[in-house]
Amino acid sequence: MPVEFLGYAATNDGSETHPRTGPSFDPDYTIRLARAHEDWGWDRVLFAYGSGSPDPAAATAYVASHTQKLQLLLAHRPNVSYPTYAAKTFATLDRISGGRLMVHFITGGDDTEQAREGDFLSMAERYARTGEYIDIVKRAWTEREPFSHHGWYFDFDSFVSDVFPAADHCPLVSLGGCVPEAYTVGAAQADVYCLWGEPLERTFEQIEAIRAASDEARREIPPRIQVSFRPIIAPTEEAAWDKAYRIVSDIKGNRRRRLSLVPAQSTGSRRLSALAGHSERFDRALWTPAALATEGADASNALVGTPETVAQALLDYYDLGAEIFSARGYDLLEDAIDFGRHVIPIVREEVAKRDAARAAGGTRGVADPGDRRSCAA
C-alpha cells in the first residue's frame, strides 16, 4: 500500500510552545515552510481553518503559486459558504495548482468555535449537513448542465458552474470524527478518513468501525486511513524525552496560549484528555502529557524517541491499515525539516519492503483511490 505524509502549512511561526514573532499571515515564513516540506519529502500540507485565522483558501492559492509538486489540503467548514460557491472556489484552486488540491471538510466538534461564525446546529445536524454539502460539491464538479437541489439544508434551482477541476483530476475529499454520525458520512463520501493519534488498540477499533460503515454504504473501496501525531525526535532516546518534557513545560508557560484555551468540547478532544488522565505512555512511543497540557486540542498526542523509534511506531499504525500520517512539530520549520530528513525515509523504505514481500507472496494489493482521476470519470 502507498504511504503518504501530511505536514502543516502554517502562515506564521507561532505554536503551542511560543507566540508568533510576526503577523498572523507572514508571507515569507509561509513560503519557507511550504518549500521545506516540498524539499524534504512530504507529500502534502494542510491549510487549517480557524474562525479568526487567515483565509486558508487564499493561503492555498499563494503557496500553489510558489511550489511545484507539493500537494495541498484545504480545510473547509460547510457553515461558512454555500456549497455551490465553495465548489467554484475549490475548482479554481485546483486549476491554479495544476491539479494538486484536496479538500478536508470540517463538520465542527466545538460548539463555541462554531458559534463564532453563526453556526448553532447540533453535532448530529452538522454531520447531516456535511453529507448533503459534499454531495452538492461533487455534483458541481461534474455536472455540465444546470441542476437543482431541494434538500434539508440547501435549496436551489438550475445551478451550473463554468469552472471545473483541472483536466484528468478530481480533488480528493477527507473527513474526520469519532462518533457514529461521522463514520456514516465519512464512509459514504470520503476518500480519506482522518483519526487523531490514539493507542493502537483504540485506533484499530475505529478503523474497524469505519470499514463496517463503508460496507454498510456499499463502498467497493473504503476510505484510506490517516492518523495524526506530534512527533518529538532527537538523536538519542534520552535527548528525545528531555525535549518532550521541555515542550510540555513551554506549553504550560505560554501565557497567550493558556489564556486562549477553552474547555474541550469535541469528542476527539475529550478522548485525548481522558486518555492522558489514564496513562502517560502507550505502546512503543505514544505520549499523552502534551495533549493534557492543551486540553486535548489539535491532535496533540506525541510520538517520542529517536527517528528510528518514531518510524517504527508509525509502521505499527501502518500495519493496522493507516496509510497517511499527519505530523507537526512545535518548532514548525525545523521540525518539518528534521522529520523529513530522518523519519520519512525510514518509513518509506520499510513500507517498500513490506510491499515487495506482499508482491512476492502473490497477495493482491489494495486499489489506491488517490490515483489521478477525472471528476468526469
Side-chain angles (χ1 to χ4, degrees), residues 17-32:
T17 60
H18 57 273
R20 65 178 188 251
T21 59
S24 60
F25 182 74
D26 181 335
D28 291 339
Y29 183 84
T30 299
I31 294 305
R32 286 175 61 204

Side-chain angles (χ1 to χ4, degrees), residues 123-359:
M123 183 181 293
E125 290 172 318
R126 292 199 294 264
Y127 274 109
R129 178 182 60 192
T130 295
E132 188 175 332
Y133 196 99
I134 294 173
D135 185 64
I136 293 168
V137 167
K138 288 181 176 180
R139 289 193 68 185
W141 285 343
T142 58
E143 299 279 356
R144 266 51 178 182
E145 299 294 332
F147 70 95
S148 301
H149 176 89
H150 305 291
W152 188 263
Y153 298 97
F154 305 103
D155 192 2
F156 59 86
D157 286 320
S158 301
F159 173 81
V160 62
S161 180
D162 193 32
V163 58
F164 299 95
D168 301 322
H169 182 247
C170 191
L172 299 180
V173 166
S174 65
L175 191 83
C178 48
V179 294
E181 295 90 343
Y183 299 148
T184 298
V185 175
Q189 296 277 23
D191 300 291
V192 174
Y193 200 96
C194 306
L195 302 174
W196 285 0
E198 297 190 20
L200 292 166
E201 182 178 359
R202 290 174 58 154
T203 300
F204 179 73
E205 291 171 355
Q206 290 191 78
I207 292 174
E208 288 295 286
I210 295 161
R211 288 173 174 167
S214 180
D215 290 341
E216 183 70 20
R218 299 187 177 181
R219 287 276 297 269
E220 182 178 347
I221 301 173
R224 298 175 72 193
I225 302 298
Q226 173 184 303
V227 187
S228 300
F229 299 100
R230 307 297 296 272
I232 301 174
I233 62 173
T236 67
E237 295 290 332
E238 181 180 8
W241 285 105
D242 287 345
K243 181 179 177 181
Y245 286 108
R246 286 197 306 273
I247 284 171
V248 168
S249 177
D250 289 343
I251 292 172
K252 294 177 179 178
N254 184 354
R255 182 174 181 273
R256 182 173 179 179
R257 170 69 183 177
R258 191 169 66 250
L259 291 176
S260 69
L261 286 174
V262 296
Q265 294 181 347
S266 76
T267 303
S269 294
R270 291 198 300 269
R271 284 172 66 99
L272 293 195
S273 295
L275 190 68
H278 179 69
S279 178
E280 285 194 359
R281 297 180 65 171
F282 293 87
D283 304 320
R284 190 188 300 267
L286 190 69
W287 192 62
T288 64
L292 195 61
T294 61
E295 299 193 16
D298 301 329
S300 46
N301 272 342
L303 293 176
V304 182
T306 64
E308 293 77 12
T309 296
V310 171
Q312 290 301 321
L314 291 172
L315 288 163
D316 291 338
Y317 288 89
Y318 177 83
D319 291 337
L320 289 184
E323 301 175 50
I324 304 171
F325 296 114
S326 173
R328 170 163 59 107
Y330 292 92
D331 184 329
L332 297 173
L333 180 59
E334 293 303 318
D335 287 347
I337 294 170
D338 284 348
F339 189 86
R341 177 188 285 132
H342 299 298
V343 178
I344 289 178
I346 297 174
V347 177
R348 291 200 193 281
E349 181 179 358
E350 290 301 317
V351 167
K353 291 178 181 177
R354 283 163 165 76
D355 288 347
R358 186 181 301 112

